[in-house]
Amino acid sequence: MKTENEDRAGLLYGIGAYGMWGLVPLFWPLLKPAGAIEILAHRMVWSLAFVGLALVALRRWGWIRELVRSPRKLGLITVAAAVITVNWGLYIWSVNTGHVVEASLGYFINPLVTIALGVLVLQERLRPAQWAAVGIGFAAVLVLAIGYGQPPWISLTLAFSFALYGLVKKKVNIGGLESLAAETAVQFLPALGYLVWLGTQDSLAFGSHGAGHTALLAATGIVTAVPLVCFGAAAIRVPLSTLGLLQYLAPTFQFLLGILYFHEAMPPERWAGFALVWLALTILTWDALRTARRSRAAVEAAKATAAADESVAVAVAAGVTAPSVVPTTAAASASASASASVDETPVSAPSAPTKR
């Protein structure tokens, strides 16, 4: 019963995290007339404040000493902060200038870009289905580029920046809240400096458009951190394959908002490009689920073999005759057969670090 409750809670946390990330395009327009860069700066400043309070309340600050003592990790955190700055800023600008659908495409193709980076950077080997998915994704970008008359730069920049961010986070290997605190600490002084400069130029929107608008700008920290907390709670309760499926909720919600709420245009070539992307993701998901099933079968067979070997050892120790060894041989054969049918280890699914 405890396991079922944990699974159910994990699923709800995951839906909550990706649901909030999917609905966040409704939030950024509320911050106008503040410009995208000012909104970005507020997001950095208030995120550090909110996450800092959360870490103090949880008494989770032991990681700071370890991080400060590791120049390599500090360097990677700085790179992650720079990359997510580009991602956050472009996403806010995209939403507030009427490019929600194109932004959603960036997060649809993100898993494909993550796989490509795994091959190029980590020298990971792909299965045939993964190669097919990446190829179809590339074809989709070509179709969209022809339709737009230029490459879909917003989508590609969002996808590559977020995939690179995930790669760097994987190498840093610290918790979500801790990572967000470290990254926003890097961003804090430049962001605060920019806000102070805007104030000296009488261009700062903060405090100039009523208490409600001021509160919304301060709430950017909550909007950033709360989905991340929910994701962290989901990640420890549900299988990676489940999170892999849930990750498509966010761009799906964004896509639907772009069409139904923001009334963005969807000409035929854009539908064709999105259809190819969805086909690639369907293949990728099917392959991931199939591989996960085979891996579980291999693990179960190995456990059965180990249990049989243990029972034989106990029997031998108790003086039981040799014929009792026969079940072990059969189990070992079954295990070898199951193991031989398993594909190579799959490329790691993209993490959901700090989202849009």
Side-chain angles (χ1 to χ4, degrees):
M1 180 62 70
K2 183 178 179 181
T3 301
E4 291 180 2
N5 290 337
E6 286 287 302
D7 289 345
R8 188 180 300 110
L11 187 61
L12 292 175
Y13 278 125
I15 293 173
Y18 286 109
M20 284 185 278
W21 282 324
L23 296 176
V24 77
L26 296 173
F27 178 72
W28 303 125
L30 300 177
L31 306 183
K32 294 178 179 180
I37 299 179
E38 182 181 346
I39 295 172
L40 173 64
H42 280 291
R43 187 177 191 180
M44 295 170 176
V45 170
W46 294 107
S47 292
L48 179 60
F50 182 81
V51 175
L53 289 174
L55 290 174
V56 169
L58 296 171
R59 298 186 178 182
R60 285 163 52 180
W61 49 72
W63 56 277
I64 297 176
R65 183 179 302 172
E66 180 185 351
L67 181 62
V68 170
R69 290 178 178 176
S70 174
R72 177 178 175 275
K73 284 191 174 183
L74 281 175
L76 289 172
I77 284 290
T78 303
V79 172
V83 173
I84 202 60
T85 296
V86 173
N87 184 275
W88 282 357
L90 180 58
Y91 186 77
I92 293 168
W93 177 86
S94 300
V95 171
N96 284 359
T97 55
H99 296 88
V100 176
V101 170
E102 191 173 349
S104 74
L105 176 64
Y107 293 105
F108 272 125
I109 66 176
N110 173 253
L112 302 173
V113 174
T114 299
I115 287 176
L117 283 182
V119 174
L120 296 175
V121 179
L122 302 179
Q123 303 297 311
E124 294 177 339
R125 298 175 62 186
L126 300 186
R127 296 180 295 277
Q130 291 175 312
W131 278 116
V134 172
I136 294 172
F138 181 73
V141 172
L142 289 180
V143 169
L144 290 166
I146 294 171
Y148 281 116
Q150 62 179 9
W153 292 117
I154 293 175
S155 305
L156 292 174
T157 303
L158 288 174
F160 274 93
S161 61
F162 201 66
L164 181 59
Y165 176 69
L167 178 65
V168 174
K169 294 259 290 186
K170 182 177 180 180
K171 292 183 177 296
V172 175
N173 192 29
I174 63 175
L177 275 179
E178 291 85 348
S179 179
L180 179 59
E183 292 154 21
T184 51
V186 172
Q187 298 167 333
F188 180 79
L189 287 180
L192 184 61
Y194 177 74
L195 293 175
V196 171
W197 177 80
L198 282 181
T200 63
Q201 302 297 310
D202 293 327
S203 301
L204 186 67
F206 186 78
S208 302
H209 300 278
H213 184 262
T214 301
L216 286 173
L217 284 170
T220 52
I222 299 175
V223 169
T224 299
V226 171
L228 184 66
V229 172
C230 291
F231 174 80
I236 61 175
R237 289 175 171 85
V238 299
L240 188 61
S241 58
T242 302
L243 282 180
L245 293 174
L246 289 176
Q247 72 175 323
Y248 299 127
L249 284 177
T252 299
F253 286 167
Q254 294 163 16
F255 175 77
L256 293 174
L257 283 174
I259 295 176
L260 301 176
Y261 182 80
F262 293 102
H263 304 293
E264 295 185 12
M266 279 295 291
E269 61 272 14
R270 182 177 279 189
W271 279 113
F274 269 87
L276 286 173
V277 169
W278 294 332
L279 174 61
L281 294 177
T282 300
I283 294 172
L284 196 63
T285 302
W286 168 78
D287 178 70
L289 293 176
R290 181 187 63 169
T291 302
R293 278 197 304 268
R294 290 183 175 182
S295 297
R296 283 196 297 269
V299 170
E300 290 172 3
K303 287 181 179 179
T305 301
D309 287 343
E310 184 179 356
S311 65
V312 168
V314 171
V316 169
V320 177
T321 55
S324 298
V325 177
V326 175
T328 306
T329 306
S333 299
S335 174
S337 175
S339 299
S341 67
V342 179
D343 288 337
E344 300 168 32
T345 303
V347 176
S348 300
S351 61
T354 314
K355 275 266 185 174
R356 22 254 170 233

